[in-house]
Amino acid sequence: MLGRISHRGPDGEGTWQSPVITLGHRRLSIVDLSPSGHQPMTSANGNVTTVVNGEIYNYPALRRELEAKGAVFQSRSDSEVVLQAYQDSGTTSFSTFNGMFAFGLWDDRVQKLFLVRDRLGIKPLYYWVDPSSNSFCFASEIKAILAAAGRDRWLIDAEGLAQYLTYQNLIGDRTLYDGIRMVPPGHYVEYDRNGIKISKYWEPIFSQKQCNDFSEEIERFRDLFSRSVERHLMSDVPIACYLSSGFDSSMVSATAAKLMPEPPIAFTGHFSEGAWYDESTGASDIATHLGIPVRKVPIDANDFAKHLDDVIIALDHPRMGMGAFSQFMVAKAAAEERKVILTGHGGDELFSGYPVFKLAMLLKNLRSKQLAGTLSSLKFHELPHLVYFSMRLISGVGSFLPVLFDKAEQSRILNQRASEAVKRTNPEKSLQTLLAPMRSDYERILTTYLQVYLPGLLVIEDNISMAHALEARTPFLDNEIVDYSLSLPEETKLQKGTLKAIIKGVARGTLPDRIFSMPKRGFPTPLPAWLRGPLAEWLKERLCGPNTRLNLIFSDAYLANVTSNYLGSWRKHIRILDEIPTHRIWMLLCLESWLRQTEKVHGVSISID
């Protein structure tokens, strides 16, 4: 198991065992580089042992509190706080941690294992119970569990497949492997001789206040964000930043540059397929304005054909969009110079950065007959997104997520065996259950993007970066920032109809003026140009060639038709209309790679029941 995830921790390896459990850890040394930070860690009395992945950013304050109660620390490592806090207050300690973490904790006194994952799922954590022996495995990546299981065949989880085909994502605890589950964000799993119990220790609580002065909120956020970035600079090794031409990564980089004694190196991807796809020019302008060095990482079609399989191996199974490939290439370059990198994840989800958030305000103002002001704030490029989600609501589909293949489409494109398997599932149920307690469209949209969409992005980011032994940190997802976001009404986040109004308010005077007129792009990847150009024959071979693995799931007729239709589609001339068709092709490529690479790399064949 440790050998399969050696890339996550090349700086050291450790194991600990008792008569009933063995714990293993791969170390990426970032805080307390000395041997005292070695894991697994066991308490002085021998009662508790932990293996921790991630960072606890508020550990200095927690440590002072625990020392005041008599705790004696053996290291400077933030991971030891987990050990000492649990001994002090048990499972209630989990909610006190401000950070990104996934950890296993063995309490020898009660013979119980706890698996704990951070509030928003920044760090992944998987587990599996062997039905033949009732033994229990957990790991940061699925590939380690596959190694422990020793199977040569694994079933696809039909519910997970249905979710992925629907949302290009997985919800709650699902994976594509039958029986392998993910600890949900903000939850912990207890395992002992009586079985498994899953408990929630955190959930978003909307405590919206009345905001009278927008300028005061800008200053409040500026202070909170600065403190968060400062916490995320906790490290005994140098730190870098991702930098696009967008606001989130730019504000992280700008704030870090102010707080660090030496300016951080920024990394950005560079494409030659036109200005829309290439954010490196804007990133360079921002870096020059901030006085920080920037590394442009060239990415082209040949890289895609060469490294797609590497991306899927890193991810364990397909999830989310094509930006994962570009992230992989930039992370690969960044890891050659740094071990820690700051990202801008979370800004869009927490502070209304997607056009769908305007839909909530439109619906609210429509009910109160105050629609004129909202309509006047709409931008032309936002209209297709609003029309799409409005039509879905009118048709009775209450999801605020893009849908790639609905139930009817799935029945048409899948082969008979796969179709029968997914017909028995309900991919919308988990989302409907999550949103049922919400009181407004705004709460439903924010909850969807905070607890479904964002965790998918975070799993991608973690696996992509850690494939290169690079730790990615997310200052926007600090506990204080999240609590602040949940306290703000939608009108404040969309002040005067402006997406991410709070973040843009703080950015005024810090970032160059031209960034305010740039379109929102979100790290686009020129996949359409590559697949319809130099990779057209490669695409045909992957999707409908004689060696494709996709016929395990899809009908041969569909694979032939979707490939020829995509290559000849008139939609290639209208980018917004080409988005979903391209995401479908990306999904097929990822599934094909997963089916083939699982067999080639892990010696496991995939089947569907």
Side-chain angles (χ1 to χ4, degrees):
M1 292 178 75
L2 292 175
R4 289 288 178 91
I5 59 168
S6 60
H7 52 274
R8 296 187 72 90
D11 298 329
E13 176 180 304
T15 57
W16 174 93
Q17 64 185 99
S18 77
V20 295
I21 185 171
T22 300
L23 299 177
H25 186 266
R26 294 292 316 200
R27 187 181 184 195
L28 182 64
S29 301
I30 292 172
V31 176
D32 189 356
L33 309 184
S34 73
S36 62
H38 182 78
Q39 295 191 53
M41 284 186 175
T42 301
S43 61
N45 57 20
N47 289 335
V48 181
T49 303
T50 60
V51 280
V52 182
N53 173 30
E55 308 290 349
I56 311 296
Y57 299 118
N58 65 333
Y59 92 97
L62 293 176
R63 176 172 177 146
R64 288 191 295 270
E65 293 175 10
L66 292 164
E67 287 178 327
K69 295 179 179 181
V72 178
F73 283 76
Q74 306 300 317
S75 72
R76 293 189 302 106
S77 171
D78 59 305
S79 296
E80 191 178 354
V81 166
V82 172
L83 191 80
Q84 300 281 7
Y86 174 79
Q87 289 194 110
D88 176 72
S89 52
T91 59
T92 59
S93 66
F94 303 156
S95 62
T96 67
F97 302 141
N98 183 2
M100 57 176 193
F101 53 84
F103 62 83
L105 184 148
W106 172 252
D107 189 332
D108 199 62
R109 296 164 298 183
V110 294
Q111 297 283 286
K112 185 175 289 188
L113 174 71
F114 295 91
L115 303 182
V116 189
R117 192 166 173 222
D118 63 65
R119 294 182 175 193
L120 295 177
I122 304 171
K123 285 293 181 181
L125 186 54
Y126 302 91
Y127 64 94
W128 172 68
V129 179
D130 185 345
S132 62
S133 65
N134 204 35
S135 60
F136 185 93
C137 295
F138 73 94
S140 294
E141 295 186 13
I142 290 175
K143 56 180 64 69
I145 293 177
L146 297 181
R151 293 180 171 188
D152 59 6
R153 179 175 174 268
W154 210 288
L155 289 175
I156 293 177
D157 183 281
E159 185 85 28
L161 178 62
Q163 288 181 358
Y164 179 63
L165 292 173
T166 304
Y167 302 115
Q168 205 176 2
N169 200 358
L170 294 147
I171 301 173
D173 67 348
R174 290 289 170 175
T175 75
L176 288 183
Y177 289 92
D178 183 49
I180 298 180
R181 293 286 181 261
M182 196 173 204
V183 179
H187 286 68
Y188 65 92
V189 170
E190 297 176 58
Y191 180 75
D192 61 16
R193 66 189 64 185
N194 297 315
I196 294 174
K197 178 183 177 184
I198 303 176
S199 303
K200 182 187 299 182
Y201 73 86
W202 180 85
E203 63 182 340
I205 298 176
F206 292 92
S207 56
Q208 293 178 25
K209 61 182 181 181
Q210 291 297 319
C211 300
N212 299 316
D213 191 330
F214 186 67
S215 61
E216 289 182 6
E217 295 302 332
I218 289 176
E219 293 309 310
R220 170 69 172 150
F221 178 71
R222 190 193 309 275
D223 178 59
L224 288 172
F225 190 65
S226 179
R227 295 211 306 264
S228 172
V229 173
E230 186 172 20
R231 281 191 286 271
H232 283 70
L233 294 176
M234 175 187 81
S235 175
D236 292 330
V237 298
I239 293 177
C241 298
Y242 286 129
L243 182 62
S244 68
S245 60
F247 283 93
D248 300 337
S249 63
S250 298
M251 282 307 301
V252 169
S253 299
T255 308
K258 289 181 180 179
L259 296 170
M260 295 173 67
E262 295 290 333
I265 299 174
F267 290 85
T268 189
H270 167 64
F271 303 104
S272 59
E273 279 77 14
W276 171 261
Y277 292 108
D278 188 24
E279 295 189 81
S280 66
T281 301
S284 294
D285 290 346
I286 294 166
T288 300
H289 183 84
L290 298 177
I292 62 177
V294 64
R295 305 279 198 270
K296 291 186 179 182
V297 182
I299 309 171
D300 59 27
N302 290 331
D303 291 320
F304 185 80
K306 180 179 179 180
H307 291 291
L308 174 63
D309 291 339
D310 297 329
V311 174
I312 301 305
I313 291 170
L315 297 181
D316 280 325
H317 61 66
R319 188 168 186 168
M320 303 298 285
M322 61 198 79
F325 165 72
S326 304
Q327 288 174 257
F328 182 91
M329 298 303 298
V330 178
K332 183 175 184 290
E336 295 175 0
E337 299 188 58
R338 292 291 184 267
K339 294 173 74 171
V340 179
I341 196 161
L342 303 182
T343 85
H345 282 86
D348 285 317
E349 291 78 13
L350 286 170
F351 294 96
S352 299
Y354 299 125
V356 67
F357 281 96
K358 282 196 176 184
L359 181 60
M361 197 162 67
L362 278 169
L363 295 172
K364 181 178 179 180
N365 291 341
L366 179 63
R367 297 184 188 106
S368 60
K369 300 180 180 179
Q370 298 177 347
L371 198 57
T374 308
L375 289 174
S376 65
S377 72
L378 294 178
K379 306 292 191 298
F380 178 77
H381 67 272
E382 297 168 354
L383 293 178
H385 298 274
L386 296 178
V387 170
Y388 172 82
F389 287 110
S390 297
M391 293 300 293
R392 290 188 58 78
L393 289 176
I394 291 170
S395 66
V397 181
S399 167
F400 294 104
L401 291 171
V403 169
L404 293 197
F405 298 106
D406 60 24
K407 275 278 193 182
E409 289 173 308
Q410 289 178 32
S411 67
R412 290 196 299 268
I413 66 176
L414 301 179
N415 62 32
Q416 184 175 353
R417 182 180 287 266
S419 181
E420 289 299 322
V422 301
K423 277 181 183 178
R424 299 191 293 266
T425 70
N426 185 356
E428 298 91 1
K429 184 178 179 180
S430 296
L431 185 57
Q432 292 167 350
T433 301
L434 177 68
L435 300 181
M438 301 300 111
R439 300 166 297 180
S440 66
D441 290 322
Y442 167 72
E443 289 189 4
R444 282 186 280 275
I445 292 173
L446 179 54
T447 299
T448 298
Y449 280 83
L450 192 63
Q451 294 197 273
V452 177
Y453 187 78
L454 180 61
L457 294 179
L458 294 173
V459 170
I460 293 292
E461 178 59 62
D462 177 84
N463 284 20
I464 289 300
S465 58
M466 293 300 285
H468 308 290
L470 178 70
E471 180 178 90
R473 297 181 176 181
T474 54
F476 274 105
L477 302 182
D478 184 89
N479 287 2
E480 286 189 357
I481 301 293
V482 174
D483 291 343
Y484 176 67
S485 167
L486 295 172
S487 75
L488 288 176
E490 57 195 294
E491 292 83 3
T492 302
K493 294 181 182 180
L494 293 171
Q495 177 82 355
K496 296 182 179 180
T498 301
L499 296 175
K500 280 196 296 201
I502 290 281
I503 295 175
K504 291 176 180 177
V506 175
R508 292 274 179 197
T510 298
L511 301 181
D513 291 341
R514 70 184 298 260
I515 191 176
F516 291 87
S517 60
M518 290 181 180
K520 180 175 178 59
R521 285 176 283 186
F523 207 172
T525 300
L527 199 57
W530 294 345
L531 296 180
R532 294 188 176 109
L535 299 183
E537 293 303 316
W538 177 86
L539 175 67
K540 293 177 186 177
E541 184 67 22
R542 283 285 176 123
L543 298 194
C544 52
N547 297 317
T548 186
R549 300 296 198 275
L550 285 175
N551 46 27
L552 174 71
I553 299 173
F554 300 92
S555 72
D556 291 333
Y558 169 72
L559 294 173
N561 288 336
V562 71
T563 305
S564 61
N565 290 344
Y566 182 77
L567 291 175
S569 176
W570 58 269
R571 290 184 175 86
K572 63 185 177 184
H573 302 296
I574 308 174
R575 188 175 55 250
I576 190 68
L577 297 181
D578 202 34
E579 281 189 12
I580 286 183
T582 300
H583 275 280
R584 288 174 170 175
I585 294 295
W586 161 259
M587 172 185 283
L588 294 172
L589 285 170
C590 291
L591 283 170
E592 200 282 333
S593 178
W594 171 61
L595 293 168
R596 186 161 33 82
Q597 293 301 309
T598 302
E599 183 174 350
K600 179 180 177 181
V601 175
H602 303 301
V604 175
S605 64
I606 300 294
S607 57
I608 192 162
D609 188 359

